[in-house]
Amino acid sequence: MPYPKNIENKLAFNQITDLVSARCLSPMGVSYAHKVRFLNKFDLIERLLLQTKEFKRVLEERMPFPDQNYLDIGPWLYKARIEGIWLLEEELHQIRLTVQTFLHIAKFLRERNGLFPNLEALMEGLLINDLVIRRIDRILEPEGKLKANASPELSKLSQKINEKETEIRRKTQKLFDKFQDLGYLADNIGVSIREGRMVLPVLAEHKRHVPGFMHDESQTGQTVFIEPSECFELNNFLRELQLAYRRERERILLEITDQLRPEIPELEKNLQRLGLFDFVRAKALLALEMKADMPLLSRHPSIHYIQAYHPLLKMSHDKLKLNTVPLSVSLTKESHIMVISGPNAGGKSVCLKTIGLLQYMLQCGFLIPCDSASEIGIFKEIMVDIGDEQSIENDLSTYSSHLLSMKNFTEFADAKTLFLIDEFGTGTDPQFGGPLAEAILHQLTRKNAFGVVTTHFSNLKNFANHTPGLLNACMLFDHEALQPLYVLETGKPGSSYAFELAVKSGLNQHIINYAKNKVGDKQRKVEELLVELEREKQHVNELRKRFAEKEEKTDVLLQKYETLTTKFEAEKKQMLKKAKEEALALVSEANSKIEATIREIKQEQASSEVQRKARTLVKDEIQLLRQEVIEEEPELNESKSEFVASTGQIQVGDMVKVVGQETPVKVLEIQKNKAVIGMGDLRSTVALSKLERLEKEQPASKKQAPKGIDFNAKMQHFSSELNVIGTRGEEALKQLDDYLDDALMLGMKQVRIVHGKGYGILRKLIRNSLKMNKMVETFQDEHIELGGDGVTIVTLKV
């Protein structure tokens, strides 16, 4: 049993159940919300969580789950148990609507073909049929009124009553017209109904002139309502019919109630499950609002929360559009007790309550706001000591109440217990409270209990630092802005920042200095060391973050380089293939021309020997040309690297490649099991296990084929400007042709030709050549400030 009895109030779990109750559709669902209790059976907890998770999916995907007519028919079922009692039309109508809702739920689950097995399990053991609905439909209209033909007798009576009412209405209207003409009736008032009978509105001074029975009078007494004597017999007969109708109606209702009585036990079961569906639906609705999920469950006690939130704090902050800092914390068998320290208002107590509330919610079958990768174990008990439990009636002071809690903790806690203690050791003289708290913590450690405590006591921080099973943690603090960050960091204790917060609050510096002098040198140095340690830790974290960003950027650049290299090689092969095709086309064209020449020679009747020699010479030339074109093209289906894989230990200066990549890089530095590699200005740190050593490939012994065009070299040395100033005209035109060929091959769109002004002869030669060049789209003078007509801007047809 969780300790203390009011643990749900201390952890604010009662607010969670209130939120669930507000989302229920029926009193049955609210009843389930108020009956929620802490569970420690793994299978039961898992089943409850899976039910809520499945219903959450129903809501997320907007499936048409029935959400109407969750009515509490319990009182009507209890009433129907009594012999001789009949249910009224409205009560029968509510029973019909409730059974219809339950049948719709059964149909919804059946149509999903096992998609929600845990919700389907709620229907097990129930008899689901529409017998009750069919029986009620026989006597009630869809809106809940008794049918006029519910029985033959009732049908006859209904017809007679209608006929008699029509006759009385006609007779009364006739008398109304008569006495109105005589001036006996009040103006603006027609035939009225009093005590179920039609009456005339007669002026008080003429009431003696209208024979009949006076049923009522107006508030002023000026008008009296008289039933005409001529209608007495008709109304009496109508009354007899109405009484007979009532008896028949009661007989019918009694008969249907007797028919329903054997179905009451099954109806009560259905009503119970309907309330359970309502409760699960409310939990799923709340889970959606809290962004809650189902973590991984472990049968063994442990805690591993990832990105967890205090649900009430998160919902409150979301409404105010404030940020909520998530909590990540772990308690394992090796580190099962966490000692949290840090400044006041830094979030220690919120952290403690978050852990307690989430664990309590989970073991009550509620989804919790945390990452679904979190893994939570099941505890047998939860014990908390939060807040002030002083009691005047029981003669308990604040510290006495804490000691009473510690007595229960040390006696009943075990390896399956989770305990939470806020402000451990406070409430008495720190000189004695600190050691006593340490002794209690030592006892709980020996019992292998799991727990979280918050404290400002230095001896508890030191104890946690040197004791196996204990773990120090602190709430981070911005020492420059003197503001808490609400971030939990494990592995080191935190400072209370008492003097820093005092300075921020505006307390007189003289008072603060006086207090500092009262603190022992050793304690002050410890606090200063903690502050400095936290400052250094923040600096290191910042450097680590920047380094990680740079490393990530380097990896992106390397990947980009690999992609561009692969793309360039593909384009290079495509260009060479195209060049080969064009060259072969030229060869074929030349061959055609030569064949034509030979035909002309033959037609001129040259000797056969001359023809044979000419043809042989032509074929040799064509073959040689084809061979040269083919040899200039590198292998299209092979990619020969300058380096090949090699074995041996990697050392500084070696060429290596990252596993899964092809780009060779150089080892610049080795740091233990990591290496700093570089390529140009790029640097990256990679584990040695992810590197593969390379070495230069040995040249083949056979004669190497002539190399093709080196596009890399041409691209590296190519300039977008050609300067021919001082060059002779013939040489300048040759340089121009070669330059434009290279520009076209490299895909350049625009180039500059610098020829100077002078007498304009060189410019004229160059521009005439450009006019004749089919690959030149346009050319024009450079801007006046950049050379004017001494420079020609050439745009190529790329």
Side-chain angles (χ1 to χ4, degrees), residues 420-432:
L420 307 169
I421 306 175
D422 193 25
E423 299 295 345
F424 196 23
T426 58
T428 189
D429 189 339
Q431 184 177 357
F432 304 105

Side-chain angles (χ1 to χ4, degrees), residues 52-282:
T52 310
K53 182 179 180 180
E54 290 179 358
F55 214 120
K56 179 173 171 243
R57 180 182 174 185
V58 171
L59 298 175
E60 286 175 333
E61 299 182 9
R62 299 183 180 275
M63 297 183 185
F65 191 91
D67 59 357
Q68 300 293 325
N69 299 318
Y70 282 69
L71 306 173
D72 184 11
I73 59 173
W76 316 142
L77 298 180
Y78 179 80
K79 175 183 176 182
R81 286 179 176 275
I82 304 173
E83 296 283 347
I85 297 294
W86 60 85
L87 296 175
L88 301 178
E89 291 91 338
E90 179 60 26
E91 296 166 352
L92 289 169
H93 182 52
Q94 290 189 13
I95 291 175
R96 177 174 60 179
L97 292 176
T98 302
V99 176
Q100 284 177 345
T101 299
F102 196 75
L103 290 177
H104 290 158
I105 292 175
K107 180 181 178 183
F108 172 88
L109 294 174
R110 187 170 57 252
E111 291 176 347
R112 268 50 188 188
N113 297 320
L115 186 60
F116 305 113
N118 291 280
L119 290 179
E120 287 184 19
L122 295 178
M123 308 292 290
E124 291 180 359
L126 297 180
L127 180 62
I128 302 173
N129 60 60
D130 60 350
L131 177 62
V132 172
I133 295 176
R134 284 188 281 110
R135 286 175 174 172
I136 297 177
D137 283 344
R138 195 177 67 248
I139 67 167
L140 292 187
E141 300 285 356
E143 66 274 10
K145 294 181 180 179
L146 188 66
K147 290 182 177 180
N149 59 349
S151 71
E153 180 64 20
L154 192 69
S155 180
K156 292 178 183 179
L157 291 172
S158 297
Q159 184 177 359
K160 289 181 179 180
I161 289 174
N162 290 334
E163 292 173 354
K164 192 58 65 177
E165 285 179 343
T166 301
E167 183 181 355
I168 294 173
R169 191 178 298 108
R170 187 166 52 249
K171 182 70 173 177
T172 305
Q173 186 64 43
K174 183 177 180 180
L175 293 172
F176 178 86
D177 295 338
K178 172 185 174 182
F179 291 120
Q180 189 177 43
D181 292 341
L182 295 174
Y184 296 164
L185 304 184
D187 296 334
N188 302 324
I189 302 178
V191 176
S192 302
I193 302 294
R194 290 293 186 275
E195 298 178 358
R197 295 185 176 234
M198 292 186 178
V199 293
L200 301 176
V202 181
L203 294 173
E205 60 267 27
H206 298 297
K207 62 183 177 180
R208 303 299 178 188
H209 298 100
V210 179
F213 180 79
M214 187 173 70
H215 285 273
D216 198 3
E217 66 177 359
S218 65
Q219 291 182 352
T220 60
Q222 296 179 357
T223 304
V224 294
F225 297 94
I226 297 175
E227 177 186 0
S229 58
E230 298 180 24
C231 296
F232 280 174
E233 291 299 327
L234 293 174
N235 279 324
N236 288 338
F237 187 68
L238 175 63
R239 184 61 178 164
E240 291 178 2
L241 292 175
Q242 290 174 340
L243 291 174
Y245 181 91
R246 185 176 70 182
R247 288 193 297 271
E248 179 62 14
R249 166 183 167 272
E250 291 174 353
R251 185 194 69 77
I252 294 172
L253 294 178
L254 181 61
E255 181 182 11
I256 189 67
T257 303
D258 291 340
Q259 292 175 355
L260 292 180
R261 190 169 292 114
E263 310 295 334
I264 289 178
E266 195 62 36
L267 289 175
E268 288 178 336
K269 289 182 182 179
N270 292 353
L271 181 64
Q272 180 189 32
R273 299 298 172 87
L274 187 64
L276 191 53
F277 274 109
D278 184 21
F279 173 58
V280 176
R281 173 185 175 277

Side-chain angles (χ1 to χ4, degrees), residues 264-411:
I264 289 178
E266 195 62 36
L267 289 175
E268 288 178 336
K269 289 182 182 179
N270 292 353
L271 181 64
Q272 180 189 32
R273 299 298 172 87
L274 187 64
L276 191 53
F277 274 109
D278 184 21
F279 173 58
V280 176
R281 173 185 175 277
K283 289 197 298 179
L285 278 172
L286 184 62
L288 279 178
E289 294 180 36
M290 296 190 308
K291 299 179 177 61
D293 209 336
M294 179 177 172
L296 302 175
L297 294 183
S298 172
R299 293 183 180 272
H300 306 289
S302 63
I303 284 178
H304 181 55
Y305 287 112
I306 302 174
Q307 299 289 302
Y309 294 93
H310 191 290
L312 300 175
L313 182 65
K314 182 74 165 64
M315 294 175 71
S316 175
H317 280 188
D318 287 348
K319 289 180 181 178
L320 300 174
K321 296 183 179 180
L322 298 176
N323 182 46
T324 306
V325 180
L327 170 70
S328 295
V329 61
S330 294
L331 293 179
T332 63
K333 188 176 181 180
E334 292 72 26
S335 300
H336 52 93
I337 298 179
M338 179 179 291
V339 178
I340 304 177
S341 52
N344 287 315
K348 299 189 302 297
S349 296
V350 173
C351 175
L352 184 87
K353 292 178 180 179
T354 300
I355 296 171
L357 178 57
L358 294 185
Q359 190 67 38
Y360 202 91
M361 286 176 61
L362 185 79
Q363 295 196 221
C364 287
F366 288 76
L367 301 183
I368 57 177
C370 69
D371 192 283
S372 58
S374 303
E375 185 172 0
I376 316 300
I378 303 302
F379 292 91
K380 184 178 178 181
E381 298 289 353
I382 291 185
M383 311 176 80
V384 304
D385 182 41
I386 299 174
D388 188 359
E389 287 291 333
Q390 67 174 330
S391 170
I392 297 176
E393 293 83 359
N394 297 326
D395 194 24
L396 281 177
S397 66
T398 299
Y399 189 63
S400 297
S401 66
H402 285 310
L403 289 179
L404 182 60
S405 296
M406 294 307 101
K407 173 180 178 295
N408 286 285
F409 281 30
T410 54
E411 288 182 359

